[in-house]
Amino acid sequence: MPDSSTSDNKKRQNLFIVLTGIFLTNAILAEMIGVKIFSGEKALGLAPANLQLLDGFVLDFNLTAGAVIWPIVFLSTDIINEYFGKKGVQKISFLAAGFIAYAFLIIYIITLLPPAQFWLDVNGTDPAGNVFNVDYAFRLIFRQGLGIIVGSLIAFLIGQLLDVFVFQRLRKITGSKMIWLRATGSTLVSQLIDSFVVLFIAFYFLAPEGSRWSIPQVTSVGIINYIYKFSVAIMLTPLIYVGHYLIDRYLGKDLAEQMTEEAANE
C-alpha cells in the first residue's frame, strides 16, 4: 500500500500537469486567434462607444479575439503561483513562450506550401457566390506580422514575470489571507504593462513606416485593452476562490497548506 508521501507527490504532479495544460492551451490559443478583431459593443448589442481619447482619436471597444480567453491565463497563473510559487510560474511561462514561437514557425512554413488546385477550385467562392483566393485568405489569417509576434512574446514574458513578482510581494504582506488582493492586484499591475508593450512593439517600433501607428493611437488602444482586462480581472475574482476550494479538496487540508507555505517561502 503506497505511503502518504508517494500519494502527496502524485497529487502535486497531477495538479501541476492539469494547471500547466490549462495555461499552455489557452496561452497558445489566444495567440492563434488574436489576429481577429471583434466589436465588444456589437457582441453585447450596444451602439459604438465613439470615445474621444488622446489627440482627438475616436475609439470603440474593438478587441483582439485572444482577449476572450486570456483571462483564463491570468487565473491559472495566479493559482499556479499560489501552490507552486514563482519557480512554477517562471517554468511554465518560458515553456509557453517556446511553444508559441514554435507554433508560429510551423504555421509560417505551412503557409509557404503551394496549394492544391482542387482546393482552390472547390473553396474559391463563399455561400453568396463571391470569388476569393482561399490560399491568400489562409495566409492572411494565419501569418501574422513579425512585429505582432515579437511584441506578443515580449509582452507575454514581461507580464508573466511582473505578475509573479507583484503576487509574491503582496503575499508577504497579506500572508494566507486576502487571496483576492494578491491575485487580482498582480493581474492588474502586470496587464497594465502588457497592454502597452505589445502595441508599442508591434505597431510603433517594428511597424513599417507607412503603417506605423501614432503614439496617441497606440496609447488609446492600450487604454481600451486595459479597461477590458481590468474589468474581467475584477469579475473573475469569485472564480479564484472556487479554484482554491476545489484544489484544496483534492489535495487535502494538510498538503494544501504545506504547498502554499512552501510557495510563499521561495
Side-chain angles (χ1 to χ4, degrees), residues 35-174:
V35 67
K36 178 171 181 175
I37 307 298
F38 74 97
S39 169
E41 296 100 335
K42 288 182 179 180
L44 297 174
L46 302 175
N50 291 325
L51 298 176
Q52 294 276 345
L53 296 179
L54 300 177
D55 201 28
F57 189 76
V58 179
L59 198 65
D60 299 323
F61 278 86
N62 296 321
L63 302 162
T64 169
V68 174
I69 60 173
W70 202 253
I72 301 176
V73 178
F74 306 157
L75 183 61
S76 57
T77 296
D78 291 333
I79 293 177
I80 292 170
N81 206 342
E82 185 75 21
Y83 291 95
F84 297 95
K86 63 182 179 182
K87 290 183 180 178
V89 176
Q90 289 170 350
K91 182 185 297 184
I92 63 167
S93 296
F94 287 114
L95 191 64
F99 285 165
I100 291 169
Y102 170 76
F104 277 127
L105 175 62
I106 296 302
I107 288 173
Y108 177 76
I109 292 174
I110 294 302
T111 61
L112 298 177
L113 297 176
Q117 188 58 48
F118 79 88
W119 183 59
L120 291 175
D121 294 340
V122 173
N123 297 289
T125 58
D126 64 16
N130 299 312
V131 178
F132 68 95
N133 186 321
V134 68
D135 188 56
Y136 174 76
F138 183 89
R139 286 185 282 113
L140 187 65
I141 292 172
F142 285 103
R143 187 191 294 180
Q144 301 186 44
L146 177 62
I148 297 176
I149 297 172
V150 173
S152 181
L153 285 176
I154 293 176
F156 170 76
L157 285 175
I158 291 176
Q160 288 297 111
L161 298 178
L162 184 59
D163 186 283
V164 70
F165 173 78
V166 176
F167 187 97
Q168 293 293 343
R169 288 288 182 178
L170 291 174
R171 190 176 202 166
K172 292 184 182 300
I173 298 173
T174 62

Side-chain angles (χ1 to χ4, degrees), residues 26 67-79 179-181 183-185 187-188 191 228-244:
N26 286 279
V68 174
I69 60 173
W70 202 253
I72 301 176
V73 178
F74 306 157
L75 183 61
S76 57
T77 296
D78 291 333
I79 293 177
I179 296 173
W180 66 269
L181 179 60
T184 306
T187 297
L188 295 182
Q191 293 312 304
Y228 168 79
K229 293 175 182 178
F230 180 97
S231 303
V232 172
I234 298 299
M235 290 188 291
L236 283 180
T237 300
L239 292 182
I240 296 173
Y241 285 89
V242 173
H244 276 267

Side-chain angles (χ1 to χ4, degrees), residues 175-253:
S176 60
K177 300 177 180 179
M178 302 177 73
I179 296 173
W180 66 269
L181 179 60
R182 56 180 177 271
T184 306
S186 60
T187 297
L188 295 182
V189 173
S190 64
Q191 293 312 304
L192 176 63
I193 305 301
D194 176 272
S195 297
F196 291 94
V197 169
V198 62
L199 294 175
F200 270 102
I201 292 176
F203 299 106
Y204 185 76
F205 292 110
L206 295 183
E209 189 67 35
S211 60
R212 180 175 296 168
W213 290 8
S214 66
I215 290 181
Q217 183 177 5
V218 173
T219 305
S220 298
V221 173
I223 291 172
I224 292 297
N225 285 339
Y226 184 65
I227 290 174
Y228 168 79
K229 293 175 182 178
F230 180 97
S231 303
V232 172
I234 298 299
M235 290 188 291
L236 283 180
T237 300
L239 292 182
I240 296 173
Y241 285 89
V242 173
H244 276 267
Y245 171 76
L246 295 175
I247 291 172
D248 287 352
R249 283 197 60 183
Y250 170 71
L251 296 174
K253 181 181 178 181

